[in-house]
Amino acid sequence: MEAELLYILQVPFSLTTKMFGTCFTQYDTKVAMIVKQLITIVTKKLHEDYKVEYEDKMNEYLQVLHRTSNHIDTVYNLPKAI
């Protein structure tokens, strides 16, 4: 499951970060929800080694979301880092 979520998240985060924070708040919200699912799976359901393996990438995603879309409640409620 985590591999599929990482693959799905590569698409929006491979584009320019200008895609976030625009009037397309549904886009930002959906991406934030997928990031939240990934964080939950990696931190609560997988072995600690997976957290270490995915931590940098997830923190990078969180930084982009907080920098560009922190005005959206879904993003605002995400942790700053894991």
Side-chain angles (χ1 to χ4, degrees), residues 3 10 15 25-26 47-49 54 60 62 64-65 67 69 75 78-79:
Q10 284 179 356
L15 304 171
T25 57
Q26 286 292 326
H47 191 271
E48 184 71 21
D49 292 344
Y54 299 128
E60 179 184 323
L62 288 169
V64 169
L65 286 172
R67 186 180 70 242
S69 307
V75 175
L78 287 173

Side-chain angles (χ1 to χ4, degrees), residues 31-64:
V31 171
M33 290 170 59
I34 295 171
V35 169
K36 183 178 178 181
Q37 285 179 320
L38 179 64
I39 290 170
T40 301
I41 290 170
V42 171
T43 59
K44 298 195 187 293
K45 299 189 184 234
L46 294 178
H47 191 271
E48 184 71 21
D49 292 344
Y50 287 103
K51 181 181 175 188
V52 172
E53 184 177 336
Y54 299 128
E55 187 173 22
D56 291 338
K57 186 56 79 177
M58 289 189 295
N59 284 335
E60 179 184 323
Y61 294 162
L62 288 169
Q63 286 176 350
V64 169

